[in-house]
Amino acid sequence: MKNTALWQLILSSLEKKISRPSFVTWFQKTSIKQKKGEKITISVPNIFVREWLQNKFETKLLSSIQQFSPEVKKIKYTIHSSTSQSLNAKTTLSSIRNKRQETKGNKKTDHSQHKIEFYQNRLSGLNPKYTFENFVVGSFNQLAHACAVSITKKFKSGSKKQEGRIKTEYNPLFIYSNVGLGKTHLLEAIGNEIINSSKRKKVKYIPCSNFTSQVIASIRDQSIEKIVQDYNHFHVLIIDDIEFIAGKERTQEVFFRIFNDLSEKGKQIILSSDRPPRAIENLEERLRSRFGGGMIADISPTSFEERMAILEQKLEERKSSIPEDILEFIAKNVKSNIRELEGVLIKALIMSEEEQSLNNIKQELKDIVEEPRKRISPEKIIKTVCNFYNITKKEILGKSRKKEIVLPRQTTMYLLREELDLSFPSIAVKIGNKDHTTVEYSCGRIVEKLRKERDFIKDIEVIRERAYNN
Ligand code: ADP
Ligand code: MG
């Protein structure tokens, strides 16, 4: 297959996995530069796109590539020269001036000066780019922010004698919200603030999925005691996206021990999740009650004014400007999530770097935000698989071990995971109260089958197409 055709296929698979604004922002003007054995080189228009693809989309991108080229294991990026030059050259927004720029004293726009930091502190796991200074506070996140600040203040006022035994009312602090509303930012800001104000405080930030991998590795090496001991040394433990612990019994057990050890010593624990503790399925009761034992704060969707303030903040960070009505257009239309808001803003900035006309920019943004994101539901997936294999829903959700039923059932589980990002436990419930380990195993089987059987890739594509388009 030619690289262009292959890239089209890969993009069509990817398009279904991510939102329309993200897709258009990050995958436009990309192509395959070269594909050789395990390596594929993707050509991208500039350094931002490379950073974002590497840091935010690599897993999804790789899985889409492997759908069509299972041999690929590694993605490399190259920046195509024409646009990278225009970015590196200190282009100013000469064609576009706005009020904001006048009031702020005609700053030059130069994206190359804004180094996006994806650097992580090796010891704490914290990324220093997340701070309180660049976190916009509004009524949507006021409570969570106030709790966060209060914790950092307690650490500042804590005397040396206390040796890390700092009592706060918010222990644990449990922050929840939909995706992209600032949980990670806030959690990391707390950590950064604490390590910056006192070098002696040991802070650990870890995404729950990494924590789980550590526990699994320690079970294999029989070093659970060591892990528990290691975590004992931290003054502050921050675990992001704790909902991933659902259904993982051993990880829950280890976490329960660490949690108890730390809280007995008055250490601070901070957790985030996409839902409140009561809504996390397959969570041990004793953990659920621990999670809710301190302070629970949610972050809600933003208002137009708050989105404007966030956009201004992001421009400030990038030392860039953009006409006010474009900002307003973005703030009016990209409502669900701050990450997407930022994505569309960067898209607009890149276009104005390329000196595109205002009208062009507006038109393009309209195209991005106005096409509704394609949606599918678990029911739709189940129904489409049933139709494709000509079996009934009852059979799919049932217990039959016949080959004609098992494959469609496994396919359904795989698609629920791939298309809807559902957790193994929640797929287990949806597929007729199976065990979550069955789901994990089934998804693995399908991935394996996709590697080996090209015809099966086509089947999956057809099912996916139908699920989205019928
Ligand atoms: P979550 O963890 O809830 O999915 P993130 O913390 O990753 O969300 O936030 C997504 C993006 O939006 C990040 O780039 C973050 O810096 C930005 N962001 C979120 N909330 C705010 C805020 N209140 N002020 C400024 N930027 C924010
Ligand atoms: Mg997050």
Side-chain angles (χ1 to χ4, degrees), residues 11-74:
L11 287 184
S12 65
S13 146
L14 249 176
E15 191 174 7
K16 293 169 200 145
K17 294 184 189 164
I18 60 183
S19 73
R20 171 97 189 144
S22 296
F23 181 74
V24 179
T25 305
W26 305 114
F27 290 95
Q28 220 180 33
K29 297 192 187 146
T30 55
S31 58
I32 298 179
K33 177 86 187 283
Q34 198 187 39
K35 191 166 90 58
K36 221 176 181 183
E38 292 189 346
K39 238 190 265 165
I40 192 165
T41 309
I42 310 293
S43 164
V44 296
N46 56 52
I47 185 171
F48 303 110
V49 175
R50 188 188 67 198
E51 302 274 17
W52 277 70
L53 295 194
Q54 268 175 339
N55 290 287
K56 312 258 177 177
F57 294 117
E58 182 126 324
T59 324
K60 285 199 161 96
L61 179 57
L62 189 62
S63 93
S64 287
I65 294 172
Q66 287 175 341
Q67 224 173 310
F68 305 99
S69 296
E71 70 282 5
V72 172
K73 305 248 157 32
K74 200 167 167 21

Side-chain angles (χ1 to χ4, degrees), residues 134-136 141 179-185 314 338-339 342:
N134 58 20
F135 188 79
V136 175
N141 59 9
V179 54
L181 288 178
K183 297 181 293 293
T184 297
H185 190 140
K314 300 292 167 191
I338 299 171
R339 187 174 300 139
E342 213 177 337

